[in-house]
Amino acid sequence: MSEVATLAGFPVNRYLLFRVFKYAVYLLLAYNVYAFFVENHAAAGAVFADGVQLGKVIEAYNDSIDTLAWVLLLLVFELETFVLADEKIRGWVKWSLNAVSAFCYVFIIYSFYGYVAEMVYLTDLAPMAQSACELAASGDWKLVLEQDDYVPLTAQSCAALGDAQMLRPADAKIVGDAATWGEIRWLAWTDVINAGTWLVVVFLLAFEVWLQLRHELSDKIMRYGQIVKVLLYSTLLLCAIYWGVNGSFLDFWDAFLWLVAFFFIEMNLFEWQAETAAE
């Protein structure tokens, strides 16, 4: 296949075009850090009415912190598997990459704990004795519409709820009916499954990179790893589809971009191992 393609009538190097597309995906993921921060900040104002305490920061800004750590880890994998030559990953460069990776793993694991804590938090809902309109009359209550989406509970919004039993989480003046909380709980479970699966993916990738740097990553290990990762990436794809159907577009778009980004990392690793084996 020719290395030159035609784009809008102009000749373009295929590899350059591929690289531009790859780094565009990385930039979009970096932008998602800001997008999740805006979404988390708006939700934190409703959930933590008295302000976000230091111990609750990871719970309040779980998505944005998690995404930032993942972007940094993605860049480390890109440096290790594509940008840097094997002989460059020595000494202070190696230790710097390991330090950044360890920093990211701490926040990624802690974010996974945050997703589990949120899921547990949503299973402990207390029924309200008052109706939605009685709560609206008392003021300061918010109505949950969907995950991380809260609006003031007013006489107009309560009328649509009728006599439905209102439920509230502990320590928050937020109410919703059982059906709404049920959908949010399923989304919280999806967060947990997604985050746990990604942990297994990156640990497996880190192990393969470690073997490759030692020139011990054989074709047999690669084949077994690919079988396991097909199952893992299939789980992640199902989570993305579920978010696309029942969650927010941002969650779906972010999950899709991460699958594309790690497809690039897998390609890097495959080519790197093939080059080493040929040598």
Side-chain angles (χ1 to χ4, degrees):
M1 181 184 292
S2 173
E3 294 184 6
V4 179
T6 302
L7 183 64
F10 295 95
V12 179
N13 185 283
R14 292 180 185 274
Y15 294 110
L16 177 61
L17 192 63
F18 172 78
R19 197 171 299 181
V20 169
F21 174 65
K22 177 170 69 171
Y23 291 128
V25 171
Y26 292 176
L27 287 174
L28 287 172
L29 287 169
Y31 173 78
N32 281 358
V33 177
Y34 169 75
F36 276 118
F37 175 80
V38 171
E39 185 179 90
N40 290 162
H41 187 68
V47 177
F48 303 96
D50 298 327
V52 181
Q53 300 176 355
L54 184 61
K56 294 289 187 179
V57 169
I58 190 68
E59 186 176 337
Y61 295 94
N62 197 31
D63 295 327
S64 47
I65 293 173
D66 184 45
T67 304
L68 176 60
W70 275 104
V71 168
L72 293 176
L73 187 60
L74 176 67
L75 295 179
V76 170
F77 277 126
E78 178 69 12
L79 290 171
E80 291 177 330
T81 62
F82 183 77
V83 176
L84 298 176
D86 294 13
E87 60 271 15
K88 296 292 185 181
I89 309 178
R90 301 285 189 273
W92 70 269
V93 174
K94 177 182 178 181
W95 287 107
S96 298
L97 292 174
N98 289 342
V100 174
S101 296
F103 174 82
C104 294
Y105 285 130
V106 168
F107 280 96
I108 289 169
I109 293 172
Y110 197 29
S111 291
F112 174 69
Y113 160 77
Y115 287 122
V116 174
E118 182 180 4
M119 183 270 296
V120 173
Y121 177 76
L122 291 172
T123 61
D124 185 21
L125 300 174
M128 299 295 296
Q130 304 99 312
S131 68
C133 289
E134 289 174 335
L135 293 172
S138 64
D140 295 332
W141 285 88
K142 292 186 180 294
L143 176 67
V144 60
L145 300 179
E146 56 188 31
Q147 191 178 38
D148 295 331
D149 187 6
Y150 310 97
V151 297
L153 182 61
T154 63
Q156 290 77 19
S157 59
C158 79
L161 297 169
D163 297 328
Q165 173 73 66
M166 291 293 100
L167 304 174
R168 62 167 292 188
D171 304 325
K173 300 186 73 173
I174 301 171
V175 294
D177 58 23
T180 302
W181 284 120
E183 293 174 0
I184 294 172
R185 193 178 296 114
W186 277 111
L187 288 169
W189 267 108
T190 307
D191 288 336
V192 172
I193 294 170
N194 181 75
T197 304
W198 272 118
L199 279 176
V200 179
V201 168
V202 295
F203 287 151
L204 185 55
L205 267 174
F207 177 65
E208 290 176 336
V209 169
W210 179 75
L211 287 177
Q212 176 62 17
L213 288 171
R214 295 165 59 91
H215 301 288
E216 297 176 3
L217 183 59
S218 65
D219 291 339
K220 184 177 180 180
I221 294 175
M222 286 285 288
R223 282 196 301 271
Y224 285 133
Q226 287 168 358
I227 292 172
V228 174
K229 282 188 282 190
V230 164
L231 297 175
L232 295 173
Y233 285 125
S234 297
T235 301
L236 295 170
L237 179 61
L238 289 175
C239 289
I241 294 172
Y242 184 80
W243 277 320
V245 175
N246 297 293
S248 69
F249 175 77
L250 179 58
D251 287 330
F252 165 76
W253 178 241
D254 183 69
F256 173 74
L257 287 179
W258 279 112
L259 286 171
V260 174
F262 271 84
F263 171 74
F264 294 140
I265 299 298
E266 295 288 353
M267 289 183 63
N268 292 346
L269 184 61
F270 178 79
E271 293 178 3
W272 184 19
Q273 193 270 341
E275 290 172 2
T276 305
E279 292 172 359

